[in-house]
């Protein structure tokens, strides 16, 4: 008669062994149904060349009137001999980039260079805390790509709530206080219901700009921490990286909010520059690269989406970084 | 702390490890501390309420036992009742009465003087309050010995496996067990772990899966009509059963591993052949509580027939109110009270009908028919229990058969495959219930060889680990 602890151990071992197979099955199901980027990512495992271009929807967005619908990476590709691999997705931000890069690095991928756009809006509450843009499942899936244990136990960990796919609930999001230049102006819901639906287009535009860019960035912000993690990883892996601030519609911002807008944007960029400098990286500031005419707003409020001309000029500004030439700044 | 959380997966083995390695004398204190940690995991500040109620009932119990004068005994019992019910009233019912009062004042165009207050309901308050109250009543009646050790009494009120959702234990059952010296027992461990696994399966695989369908239909019933509402109502019947009995199974199993026997809280309730039978099988610890502390003191069935009916109705109304401060629960309780009264009132008539139609010659068919009718009466009650308002409940009740298009079922949030898993799990559940009819499952499992048992354990473990839902669905009875 075997002792009970031995029987329990045997039972646990059997469950764990079968769980490893179930884990593989789940990963396959998730990859096919939820996160197609990973299929593309897998093609890049082990590559020692090419330019990896992270990004959000700005990379691919096209304005309705555009005759050339090429994305920024495609336009950039025209100027470079190295293949440009775009690793982008709608609302992707720093912790997604960090997770993607960790997975690639763990799989022995060493690109020739990495382009990391920093969208200043991604640090704002409206993006950073937006429940649908937390990307917990893709991040978990990416983690499972580089860890056998995570792959095996991802589902049980989710089922037993050790990992939450929705770390921020809608209720929490709407209750989050909005700080404009350090001043509490009310909850997200209050700001939304009071200012963002204003019938006066100028007021509405001004409030969107405030919400998107007039936060006071702290180096301890979780997205800044993710930026630091990514920068650290790239430094350790000796992968050349180019971090840049994506262009903003500074003209509209300046017109709506005067110097307050420019000053706050500059201050926040300063914080990011410092974070990157600590990891030995430089930050290229393209925030004021483009005039208003280069932007196109899908939601009719000022953001960073570009039209054909904007994308072309953005690609042109990035090309010298990768060719090792001088930067075509503003 | 939730039983179906990773915290409990760590907490429970640790508690076991320390429990069985500590000297017997130190175990109650250790279990009490573990129970407080278990409770405080949710909201540490509400431990004060638990301590307050424990202290009041401990003192009241001693004074009741030591007082010679009946009036003093009554006074201390009243003190215990008042303090328990006041706390319960404030945390559970104040908002309900406040909003009802406000609505009434507004109807009469009067200024309502009480401000709006949002009060968070302490988890498990109805359970531990009733358990603690039953002790003082039993001491008053002389049915239980007074407990003079504050530590032991606190553990009786706070014992973590049953603290937040029952079973509502009686002092006569649990208190004496705390004094027993529980040695580690392999058989008990195996039986306890089996109970836990079965409970987790019911909660995580069946209840939480069905919850998706139920939530989809009941959160906005006006978007649905016909079959989806009907199916969601059947699903809720199984959801609430698996959710609550699953919790009770985990609680029983957890206690069993440590050597404590908790009372059986559910016994195949949907196999009941009458509403009375249903209440002897559903949430047994609560229905016996209401029987012993409300129905019998009201006179029970030792009074006139009319008075007995009133007593029954009042008891069920109180049971409905115990579940929650909402008109839907009150109507649910009233409906069951009405069922019981009608059942008693028509007993003779139904007996005659059975004899005339000759149905008694087919006892199996008759039993099936009675199970079918009882189940559907219970389901009708569940509509009121689950609906968010009486208006919603009325809409659902009146639209159950308005469209029987099966394609609408796929609008309920589960894929065809998920629906298949849910249906398959209900079949497993009912198969187990049928098997239990002849032999207790424990004996049945013990009698089968290891190569049958182990694949079952492994399969169920894998089901629990993988088929549970990712979204957090708390145990339904936590809200009470």
């Amino acid at each position: 008669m075997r002792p009970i602890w031995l029987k329990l151990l045997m039972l646990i071992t059997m469950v764990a062994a079968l769980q490893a197979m179930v884990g593989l099955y789940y990963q396959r199901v998730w990859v096919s149904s939820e996160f197609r980027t990973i299929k593309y990512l897998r093609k890049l495992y082990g590559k020692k060349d090419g330019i990896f271009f992270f990004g959000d929807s700005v990379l691919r967005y096209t304005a309705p009137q555009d005759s050339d619908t090429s994305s920024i990476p495609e336009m950039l590709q025209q100027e470079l001999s190295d293949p440009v691999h775009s690793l982008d997705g709608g609302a992707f931000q720093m912790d997604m980039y960090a997770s993607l890069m960790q997975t690639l690095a763990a799989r022995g991928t060493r690109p020739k260079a990495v382009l990391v756009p920093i969208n200043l809006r991604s640090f704002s509450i409206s993006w950073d805390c937006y429940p649908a843009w937390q990307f917990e499942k893709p991040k978990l899936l990416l983690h499972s790509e580089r860890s056998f244990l995570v792959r095996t136990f991802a589902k049980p960990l989710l089922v037993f709530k050790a990992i939450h796919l929705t770390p921020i609930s809608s209720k929490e999001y709407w209750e989050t206080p909005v700080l404009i230049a350090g001043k509490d102006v009310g909850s997200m819901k209050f700001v939304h219901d009071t200012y963002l639906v204003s019938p006066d287009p100028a007021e509405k535009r001004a409030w969107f700009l405030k919400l998107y860019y007039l936060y006071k960035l702290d180096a301890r912000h979780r997205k800044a921490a993710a930026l630091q993690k990514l920068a650290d990883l790239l430094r350790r892996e000796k992968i050349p990286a180019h971090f840049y601030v994506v262009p903003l519609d500074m003209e509209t911002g300046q017109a709506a909010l005067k110097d307050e807008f420019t000053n706050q944007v500059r201050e926040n960029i300063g914080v990011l520059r410092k974070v990157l400098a600590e990891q030995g990286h430089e930050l290229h500031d393209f925030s004021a690269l483009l005039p208003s005419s280069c932007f196109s707003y899908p939601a009719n409020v000022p953001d960073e989406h570009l039209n054909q001309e904007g994308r072309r000029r953005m690609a042109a500004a990035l090309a010298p970084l990768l060719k090792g030439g001088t930067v075509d700044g503003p | 702390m939730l039983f179906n959380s990773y915290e409990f997966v760590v907490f429970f083995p640790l508690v076991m490890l320390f429990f069985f390695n500590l000297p017997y004398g130190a175990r109650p204190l250790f279990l009490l501390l573990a129970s407080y940690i278990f409770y405080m995991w949710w909201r540490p500040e509400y431990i004060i309420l638990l301590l307050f109620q424990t202290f009041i009932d401990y003192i009241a119990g001693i004074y009741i036992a030591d007082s010679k004068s009946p009036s003093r005994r009554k006074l201390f019992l009243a003190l215990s009742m008042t303090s328990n019910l006041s706390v319960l009233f404030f945390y559970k019912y104040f908002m309900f009465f406040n909003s009802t009062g406000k609505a009434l004042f507004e109807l009469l165009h009067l200024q309502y003087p009480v401000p709006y207050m949002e009060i968070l309901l302490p988890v498990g308050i109805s359970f531990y309050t009733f358990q603690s109250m039953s002790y003082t009543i039993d001491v008053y009646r002389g049915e239980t010995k007074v407990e003079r050790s504050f530590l032991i009494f606190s553990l009786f009120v706070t014992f973590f496996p049953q603290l937040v959702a029952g079973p509502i234990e009686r002092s006569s059952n649990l208190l004496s067990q705390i004094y027993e010296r529980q040695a580690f027992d392999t058989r008990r461990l195996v039986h306890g772990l089996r109970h836990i696994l079965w409970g987790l399966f019911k909660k995580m695989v069946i209840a939480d899966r069905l919850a998706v369908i139920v939530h989809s239909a009941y959160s906005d019933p006006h978007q649905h009509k016909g079959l989806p509402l009907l199916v969601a109502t059947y699903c809720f019947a199984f959801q609430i059963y698996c959710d609550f009995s699953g919790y009770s199974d985990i609680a029983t199993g957890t206690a069993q591993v440590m050597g404590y026997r908790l009372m059986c809280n559910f016994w195949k309730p949907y196999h009941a052949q009458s509403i009375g039978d249903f209440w002897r099988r559903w949430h047994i610890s609560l229905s016996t509580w209401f029987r012993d502390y409300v129905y019998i003191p009201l006179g029970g069935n030792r009074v006139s027939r009319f008075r007995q009916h009133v007593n029954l109705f009042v008891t069920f109304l109180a049971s409905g109110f115990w579940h929650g401060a909402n008109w839907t629960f009150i109507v649910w309780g009233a409906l069951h009270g009405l069922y019981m009264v009608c059942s008693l009132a028509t007993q003779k008539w139904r007996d005659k009908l059975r004899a005339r139609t000759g149905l008694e010659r087919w006892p199996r068919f008759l039993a099936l028919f009675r199970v079918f009718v009882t189940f559907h009466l219970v389901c009708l009650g569940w509509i009121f229990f689950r609906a968010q308002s009486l208006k919603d409940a009325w809409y659902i009740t009146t639209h159950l058969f308005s469209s029987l298009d099966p394609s609408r079922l796929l609008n309920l949030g589960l894929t065809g495959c998920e629906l298949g898993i849910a249906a398959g799990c209900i079949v497993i559940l009912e198969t187990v219930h049928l098997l239990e009819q002849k032999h207790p499952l424990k004996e049945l499992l013990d009698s089968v060889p290891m190569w049958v048992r182990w694949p079952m354990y492994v399969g169920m473990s894998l089901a629990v680990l993988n088929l549970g839902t990712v979204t957090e669905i708390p145990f339904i009875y936590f809200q009470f």
Side-chain angles (χ1 to χ4, degrees), chain B residues 86-104:
Chain B
S86 305
V87 171
L88 189 63
F89 175 85
F90 179 75
Y91 282 96
K92 191 161 178 175
Y93 301 106
F94 179 79
M95 277 165 64
F96 169 71
F97 281 110
N98 201 21
S99 60
T100 308
K102 189 169 182 275
L104 213 67

Side-chain angles (χ1 to χ4, degrees), chain A residues 115-143:
Chain A
L115 274 173
V116 186
I118 301 174
N119 190 328
L120 286 179
R121 185 158 58 99
S122 69
F123 298 86
S124 72
I125 284 162
S126 63
W127 187 328
D128 178 44
C129 295
Y130 190 65
W133 292 348
Q134 299 307 308
F135 298 107
E136 291 303 317
K137 200 162 183 176
K139 279 188 276 180
L140 178 66
L141 199 52
L142 286 167
H143 201 167

Side-chain angles (χ1 to χ4, degrees), chain A residues 30-224:
Chain A
W30 284 346
V31 168
S32 62
S33 65
E34 306 252 358
F35 190 49
R36 292 173 199 286
T37 307
I38 210 156
K39 284 184 186 165
Y40 179 62
L41 198 73
R42 282 177 176 170
K43 290 180 188 163
L44 304 178
Y45 288 164
K47 278 201 183 297
K48 307 281 183 208
D49 61 353
I51 311 292
F52 286 13
F53 197 163
F54 294 118
D56 54 42
S57 59
V58 173
L59 292 199
R60 288 185 188 275
Y61 172 78
T62 55
Q65 68 276 14
D66 286 352
S67 54
D68 181 358
T69 55
S70 308
S71 65
I72 299 174
E74 284 163 349
M75 289 176 171
L76 184 63
Q77 182 66 85
Q78 289 166 12
E79 309 216 14
L80 301 170
S81 52
D82 289 305
V84 177
H85 303 290
S86 174
L87 290 160
D88 60 297
F92 274 17
Q93 23 61 14
M94 215 45 71
D95 54 357
M96 263 307 283
Y97 305 154
S99 199
L100 283 163
M101 197 58 235
Q102 271 181 307
T103 306
L104 287 165
R107 292 299 191 125
T109 316
R110 296 292 178 277
K112 202 170 170 187
V114 170
L115 274 173
V116 186
I118 301 174
N119 190 328
L120 286 179
R121 185 158 58 99
S122 69
F123 298 86
S124 72
I125 284 162
S126 63
W127 187 328
D128 178 44
C129 295
Y130 190 65
W133 292 348
Q134 299 307 308
F135 298 107
E136 291 303 317
K137 200 162 183 176
K139 279 188 276 180
L140 178 66
L141 199 52
L142 286 167
H143 201 167
S144 74
E145 283 285 288
R146 53 183 194 267
S147 158
F148 169 77
L149 278 178
V150 175
R151 181 162 60 243
T152 303
F153 295 107
K155 188 71 199 275
L157 288 171
L158 284 168
V159 166
F160 279 86
K161 318 297 178 277
I163 305 169
H164 289 271
L165 288 185
T166 46
I168 300 174
S169 68
S170 274
K171 190 170 174 276
E172 285 167 331
Y173 170 69
W174 289 115
E175 284 172 356
T176 309
V178 177
L179 302 176
I180 306 284
K183 241 174 68 185
D184 189 342
V185 292
S187 68
M188 188 65 209
K189 178 151 180 59
F190 174 78
V191 170
H192 179 271
D193 294 352
T194 315
Y195 306 120
L196 301 185
V197 291
S198 170
D200 174 9
E203 191 193 25
K204 186 174 161 181
R205 190 183 314 124
W207 269 98
F208 267 105
L209 285 163
K210 283 181 186 180
L211 179 67
Y212 288 168
Y213 307 111
L214 285 202
Y215 54 85
K216 251 181 159 10
L217 186 61
D218 190 297
R220 287 166 300 178
H221 189 291
R222 60 189 188 134
K223 294 288 188 288

Side-chain angles (χ1 to χ4, degrees), chain A residues 68 70-72 75-76 78-79 290 306-318:
Chain A
D68 181 358
S70 308
S71 65
I72 299 174
M75 289 176 171
L76 184 63
Q78 289 166 12
E79 309 216 14
L290 304 173
L306 304 173
N307 59 19
Q308 173 182 327
E309 176 60 12
R311 294 196 303 281
R312 192 195 58 74
R313 288 177 65 172
M314 186 69 242
L318 290 171

